[in-house]
Every structure is written in C-alpha cells, then in structure tokens.
Amino acid sequence: MKKTLTACALLLLLLLTACGQTASLQETIPTLSLTAGSGRAAPVSTFGYSWTAGRDSLVVDTVHPLEAIENLPGVSVTAGTPISMYFSRLPGIVTVTCWPASDAETPSPEPGETVEASFANNLFTFIPPDSEENLVFLVEGQWNSRDDAKGTVCYAFVVEQK
C-alpha cells in the first residue's frame, strides 16, 4: 500500500511539473492584436504553431482556415482601410494570405492570395484587397532564435468590408 501511494504521489508530482512547463512555454508564444483605421485593438487567437522556448517545444496543428470559417473572429472595415498588426514579440518575417469566404464551399480551394505587408513603427500593416464578399486571412509570423525562443505562429480571422 505504501509503495502504491508513493508511486501515485511521484506520478502526480511529475504531471504537475509537466503542466507547469507547458503553461510557461505557452506564455512565451507571441500574441497578435489588429487595429483597423483608428479603431480599438482586437486580439486574435493563435491558429496553429510550432514553438520552442529553451528546451521545450510545442506543436499545435489545425485545419485550413476555410474549414474553420464559422469559428474565426471577424473584423469589419471600410474598403481600403489599412489593418495594423501588433505582435507582443516582433517577428522576423510576416506572411499574409487571404481567400474569398466562398472558397470555403469548394472541396479543393485554390492557394490563397499573398497580400503585401509593410513594416513601420513596430507594426506590420496591410490593406485587404477590395472584395464584394468576406475574406479569410491567415497571418504567419516567423521568429528566429531570440531570447531563447523561436518558431512559427499562425493567426486566422475574417474581414468584412463595408
């Protein structure tokens, strides 16, 4: 009985230690906030990542953004309005890709359109292409080893143009 209790206590301690490491690793994953025009910043959740901090690594894979369109956050902007992206940790490379929302209804959507993002004042900014329908965006940030953390993090959202 004593051996069983000791083994259970040791197992519990190992599980709690592992949970603590994962939580601290997840806390190092950069966050993204969007601002359209002079509006308020809106946070966007991560949408898959491969992240390493110190000796710990974590990979979360997701479906294509068009397959998750119903669960993506939305941003409403006037056509031609720039969208600024603020990352809690500045990435080295940012890629912005978009698809018309109607592509979600096709079994094999085309590769998305790459949208040019500029960088100034610690913000990446892009202008959504003019569209009569909603656009689904995937932002991919890449971080090289800096502060002992590196990886790729994706963020997905829908833009509705007024």
Side-chain angles (χ1 to χ4, degrees):
M1 178 74 172
K2 201 173 198 178
K3 279 186 177 181
T4 304
L5 286 175
T6 303
C8 287
L10 182 58
L11 182 59
L12 180 60
L13 180 61
L14 288 173
L15 286 172
L16 290 174
T17 302
C19 289
Q21 289 175 344
T22 302
S24 64
L25 177 62
Q26 287 177 333
E27 290 171 3
T28 67
I29 296 171
T31 59
L32 170 64
S33 294
L34 303 176
T35 305
S38 60
R40 292 189 307 162
V44 178
S45 299
T46 57
F47 192 77
Y49 47 87
S50 173
W51 192 252
T52 300
R55 295 182 181 165
D56 296 327
S57 293
L58 187 58
V59 175
V60 173
D61 198 11
T62 59
V63 297
H64 192 283
L66 290 171
E67 294 178 48
I69 194 168
E70 298 297 324
N71 299 316
L72 298 179
V75 177
S76 184
V77 299
T78 304
T81 301
I83 296 178
S84 296
M85 300 178 285
Y86 172 77
F87 293 90
S88 61
R89 180 187 299 250
L90 194 60
I93 299 171
V94 171
T95 305
V96 180
T97 308
C98 75
W99 297 263
S102 61
D103 280 7
E105 299 165 10
T106 61
S108 298
E110 295 291 322
E113 175 185 344
T114 301
V115 177
E116 184 179 338
S118 60
F119 180 75
N121 300 323
N122 288 331
L123 293 173
F124 285 90
T125 303
F126 69 95
I127 298 175
D130 286 339
S131 177
E132 295 293 320
E133 64 179 298
N134 293 349
L135 296 172
V136 177
F137 282 84
L138 181 68
V139 173
E140 179 181 293
Q142 295 178 18
W143 289 260
N144 294 327
S145 185
R146 183 180 131 194
D147 300 331
D148 204 25
K150 63 182 176 180
T152 300
V153 182
C154 294
Y155 311 85
F157 52 93
V158 176
V159 170
E160 174 189 350
Q161 295 184 45
K162 305 179 217 174

